[in-house]
C-alpha cells in the first residue's frame, strides 16, 4: 500500500490547482451575472442558488466517487425516484418518519449494491450496467405507482426539509455535512486511497493488495444512498414523490463532477471541486433565468460546459 498512498499524495497538488481554477470560473460567472442583473448577488438570490444546487451537489458527490474509481452511474435519477416512492409510501402508511427516511436511503443503497455487484463481481461495463439499471428502476417506480405521483407527505417532514437554521436552508446544511464527511473519507482514510488507486490502475491496485471489488461496490452503494438523500430533499420540497423524478440528473451530476476536476478516465477528483461545480451550474441557470433565457438554452450551456471541462482535463493530463 506504500505505492498507493504515495500516488494519492502526489496527486494532491494538481487537484488543488484544479480547485483553484474551478473557483476562478465560479467567481467569473457570478461576476458576469452580477453586472448583467443586480438582483443576482442579493442575499435572497444567493441563498436560492445554494438551495437549488443542493440536490445536484448531493447526487454529484456520489457520482464523483464513482468516477474517481473509474466507473459511471447513469441510474442515479431512477434510483432517486424508486427511493422517493418507498419513503413516501412508508410515511403515508404511518411508519415513523426516521424509519421511513432510513427505508428510502436503504432502497437507494440497495440499487447501488445491485449496480456495484454487476460491475465488480460479474465484470460488466459500468456504462452498460447503469444504462440498463436506468430503465429497470424507472420501470419499477412507474409500475408501482401506475405513473401517478404519491401525495400526502407528512407536514412534519416537509417542515423539516424546508426549514432554516440560522438563515441557512436545511438542504444546504445536509449537503455540507455530507461533503465534509466525504472529504475526510477521500483525503484522510484508507478507503480514499483505495478509490484513487482503483481508478488510477485497477490491476496495480490489486497487486498492491487493494480490495478492488469491494471498493467498487462501496462507491456504487454510496452513489445510490446519496441519490436517495437528494430524492428525500426534493420530496419534502414538493410535498409529493413523483415516479418520473430525476430526469437527466445523471447529466447534471457528471457535469458538476467534471467541472470540479473529476476525470472520466478515473483516478482523480475533488469533493470541494464538485461542490463548486454544482454551484456553478446552479448559478448559471439562475442567472439565465433572471435574464429570461429559455430552458433549452440552459441545457445547451450545460453540454458545452461538460465538453470544455473534458478538454481541460485532457490538456492537463497531456502536460502531466
Amino acid at each position: 500500500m506504500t505505492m498507493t498512498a504515495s500516488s494519492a499524495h502526489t496527486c494532491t497538488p494538481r487537484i488543488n490547482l484544479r480547485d483553484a481554477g474551478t473557483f476562478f470560473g465560479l467567481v467569473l460567472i457570478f461576476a458576469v451575472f452580477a453586472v448583467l442583473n443586480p438582483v443576482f448577488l442579493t442575499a435572497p438570490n444567493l441563498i436560492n442558488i445554494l438551495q437549488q444546487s443542493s440536490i445536484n451537489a448531493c447526487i454529484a458527490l456520489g457520482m464523483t466517487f464513482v468516477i474517481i474509481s473509474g466507473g459511471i452511474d447513469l441510474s442515479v435519477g431512477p434510483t432517486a425516484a424508486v427511493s422517493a416512492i418507498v419513503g413516501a409510501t412508508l410515511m403515508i402508511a404511518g411508519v415513523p418518519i426516521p424509519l421511513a427516511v432510513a427505508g428510502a436511503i436503504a432502497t437507494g443503497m440497495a440499487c447501488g449494491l445491485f449496480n456495484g455487484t454487476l460491475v465488480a463481481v460479474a465484470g460488466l461495463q459500468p456504462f452498460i450496467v447503469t444504462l440498463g439499471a436506468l430503465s429497470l428502476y424507472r420501470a419499477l417506480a412507474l409500475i408501482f405507482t401506475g405513473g401517478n405521483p404519491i401525495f400526502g407527505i407528512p407536514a412534519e417532514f416537509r417542515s423539516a426539509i424546508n426549514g432554516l437554521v440560522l438563515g441557512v436552508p436545511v438542504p444546504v446544511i445536509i449537503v455540507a455535512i455530507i461533503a465534509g464527511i466525504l472529504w475526510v473519507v477521500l483525503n484522510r482514510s484508507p478507503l480514499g486511497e483505495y478509490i484513487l488507486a482503483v481508478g488510477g490502475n485497477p490491476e496495480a491496485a490489486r497487486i498492491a493488495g487493494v480490495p478492488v471489488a469491494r471498493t467498487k461496490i462501496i462507491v456504487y452503494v454510496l452513489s445510490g444512498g446519496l441519490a436517495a438523500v437528494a430524492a428525500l430533499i426534493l420530496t419534502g420540497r414538493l410535498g409529493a414523490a413523483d415516479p418520473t423524478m430525476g430526469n437527466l440528473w445523471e447529466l447534471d451530476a457528471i457535469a458538476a463532477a467534471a467541472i470540479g476536476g473529476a476525470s472520466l478516465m478515473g483516478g482523480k477528483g475533488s469533493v470541494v471541486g464538485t461542490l463548486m461545480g454544482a454551484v456553478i451550474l446552479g448559478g448559471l441557470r439562475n442567472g439565465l433565468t433572471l435574464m429570461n433565457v429559455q430552458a433549452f438554452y440552459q441545457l445547451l450551456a450545460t453540454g458545452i460546459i461538460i465538453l470544455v471541462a473534458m478538454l481541460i482535463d485532457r490538456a492537463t493530463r497531456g502536460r502531466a
Side-chain angles (χ1 to χ4, degrees):
M1 279 307 303
T2 303
M3 292 176 61
T4 304
S6 176
S7 298
H9 177 74
T10 55
C11 286
T12 302
R14 288 197 296 270
I15 292 175
N16 289 339
L17 180 61
R18 182 62 188 271
D19 285 351
T22 305
F23 180 73
F24 175 77
L26 174 64
V27 172
L28 179 62
I29 288 176
F30 273 52
V32 169
F33 282 120
V35 172
L36 295 176
N37 194 316
V39 176
F40 184 81
L41 277 187
T42 60
N45 191 60
L46 291 178
I47 291 176
N48 184 39
I49 291 174
L50 291 178
Q51 188 166 16
Q52 291 176 345
S53 302
S54 61
I55 291 177
N56 185 30
C58 192
I59 295 283
L61 286 171
M63 183 70 75
T64 296
F65 273 62
V66 174
I67 290 175
I68 292 174
S69 73
I72 198 74
D73 189 354
L74 302 179
S75 68
V76 288
T79 295
V82 171
S83 302
I85 295 300
V86 170
T89 301
L90 292 175
M91 290 182 197
I92 294 173
V95 175
I97 291 177
L99 291 180
V101 168
I105 295 176
T107 300
M109 295 175 71
C111 292
L113 177 62
F114 178 76
N115 294 345
T117 300
L118 290 179
V119 170
V121 179
L124 302 181
Q125 289 296 322
F127 181 88
I128 300 300
V129 168
T130 57
L131 183 63
L134 182 152
S135 298
L136 174 62
Y137 301 152
R138 182 69 72 196
L140 290 175
L142 292 169
I143 291 170
F144 183 83
T145 62
N148 300 312
I150 297 178
F151 296 98
I153 305 300
E156 296 86 351
F157 178 73
R158 296 188 63 187
S159 298
I161 293 296
N162 294 310
L164 299 173
V165 176
L166 300 177
V168 180
V170 168
V172 176
I173 296 175
I174 292 173
V175 173
I177 293 173
I178 292 172
I181 294 172
L182 293 182
W183 186 91
V184 173
V185 169
L186 185 61
N187 297 281
R188 297 290 186 267
S189 77
L191 177 58
E193 294 184 1
Y194 293 165
I195 295 171
L196 288 165
V198 170
N201 190 324
E203 188 58 34
R206 184 178 292 106
I207 294 173
V210 174
V212 175
R214 186 174 67 190
T215 301
K216 288 183 178 181
I217 290 174
I218 287 173
V219 296
Y220 281 98
V221 170
L222 175 64
S223 179
L226 290 181
V229 173
L232 290 168
I233 292 174
L234 185 58
T235 298
R237 185 182 300 174
L238 300 178
D242 194 332
T244 63
M245 174 189 295
N247 186 37
L248 294 182
W249 277 11
E250 62 280 354
L251 174 63
D252 289 344
I254 293 171
I259 293 169
S263 171
L264 294 182
M265 299 296 292
K268 186 174 72 170
S270 165
V271 170
V272 174
T274 294
L275 289 177
M276 289 191 290
V279 174
I280 285 175
L281 290 176
L284 180 66
R285 289 173 178 169
N286 180 275
L288 292 175
T289 299
L290 289 176
M291 296 173 61
N292 296 318
V293 176
Q294 294 176 317
F296 46 81
Y297 285 110
Q298 300 178 23
L299 186 62
L300 174 65
T302 301
I304 292 174
I305 286 177
I306 293 176
L307 294 176
V308 170
M310 290 300 93
L311 289 173
I312 293 174
D313 176 69
R314 183 62 180 268
T316 54
R317 278 182 172 266
R319 287 197 299 271

